[in-house]
Structures are given as structure tokens and as C-alpha cells.
Amino acid sequence: MNWQPYLKASWEMVMESEGRSQVFLDQDLEAYLVHMMARNFRKHQFPPEIICLELSRAKTKDDYRDIGDGCLFVDAWDVRRARLVEQNYYEKMGQIAYARAAYASRPADELFDRVSREFGLLSRVLRVLKPSVPHYAL
């Protein structure tokens, strides 16, 4: 699969989002957000139905990363949000998922640890893209 168009489109969206939000990420967090968006560009099913159950089933760094990515999209775009959870549920679950991704490998993955700690900042950058996302994509 040719990832170049997805990376280019994701990079353009992140640049636009940083400009509109006036939240500027450092190079590592910016690259993570671009690659996360490119990786999930055509994904239709997220987040998992019950995140805490998915966390208990996750075994690999990629499993935890996927859960964290789904939580980041829900937190930023307020889509497919469960009804009976607190407002910060997806932020907290995403932070946990990324932290587990960080420590699922040895040595610990410093980038996932940072993504966990800066989840709210990434969500703020991603949030300003919501109006430009086609309704059918949600």
C-alpha cells in the first residue's frame, strides 16, 4: 500500500490544525499525530465498544496504541461517545492505553510515554479539524 498520499494529507491537516488552534507541537508529537492520522485514515470502527474490556484483552504495544488512538479521536471529535461515562473518560482511558503501550516493550518507549502525558494537547490540536471532517466519515 502506498502511504504517501495519507501522510501528505495528514501532515497538511495537522499543520492547518496547529495554525488554527495556535497550539504548536514539537517535532516528535507532531510526527506522531501525522502518522496516527495516516494509519487510521480509512478506519471505520473505533473506538472499541467497551474500552476497559479492550484494555484487559490487549497484549501488544500495537493493541494499546490502537485503543489510545481511538480514544484520542473520540475525545477530540466527540464522536461515538458512550452515554454513561464522565466527560474525561476517553482522555483518561487514552492516557492509560498509551502508557501501557510505552511499557509493553523493553526498554520503555519514550514517545508513547510522552503521548500519554500530552494526550490533552494532542486532542486540542485534533479538535479544530472536526468541522472539516465530512459527516459520512464519522
Side-chain angles (χ1 to χ4, degrees), residues 9 28 31 43 51 54-55 78 88 103 108 115 124:
D28 291 337
K43 193 171 189 177
I51 293 170
E54 291 300 315
L55 278 172
D78 205 26
N88 66 351
Y103 296 103
V115 170
R124 282 181 41 208

Side-chain angles (χ1 to χ4, degrees), residues 6-135:
Y6 298 108
L7 287 169
K8 183 179 186 290
S10 297
W11 181 81
E12 289 170 354
M13 288 190 289
V14 169
M15 293 302 105
E16 176 187 342
S17 182
E18 284 180 314
R20 288 174 51 197
S21 68
Q22 292 298 296
V23 175
F24 300 98
L25 303 172
D26 68 32
Q27 191 174 21
D28 291 337
L29 292 177
E30 190 176 87
Y32 182 80
L33 194 56
V34 167
H35 284 90
M36 185 272 301
M37 291 179 64
R39 190 174 49 254
N40 291 288
F41 217 88
R42 301 184 78 187
K43 193 171 189 177
H44 299 289
Q45 296 286 21
F46 59 96
E49 289 297 317
I50 303 172
I51 293 170
C52 59
L53 289 177
E54 291 300 315
L55 278 172
S56 69
R57 294 178 188 141
K59 293 179 177 34
T60 67
K61 180 168 65 169
D62 290 343
D63 292 342
Y64 292 119
R65 181 203 63 210
D66 290 345
I67 294 167
D69 290 352
C71 289
L72 184 56
F73 279 114
V74 173
D75 188 63
W77 292 347
D78 205 26
V79 294
R80 294 190 50 157
R81 185 178 286 277
R83 292 183 188 184
L84 300 175
V85 298
E86 293 184 23
Q87 184 65 28
N88 66 351
Y89 175 77
Y90 290 96
E91 179 180 5
K92 297 300 179 195
M93 289 287 125
Q95 288 173 322
I96 291 168
Y98 285 130
R100 287 188 178 178
Y103 296 103
S105 60
R106 296 289 180 238
D109 188 316
E110 292 180 31
L111 178 60
F112 281 120
D113 188 50
R114 285 203 54 220
V115 170
S116 174
R117 287 183 280 121
E118 302 293 345
F119 186 97
L121 191 64
L122 293 169
S123 182
R124 282 181 41 208
V125 170
L126 194 55
R127 187 168 293 131
V128 299
L129 289 176
K130 183 180 178 186
S132 65
V133 174
H135 178 67

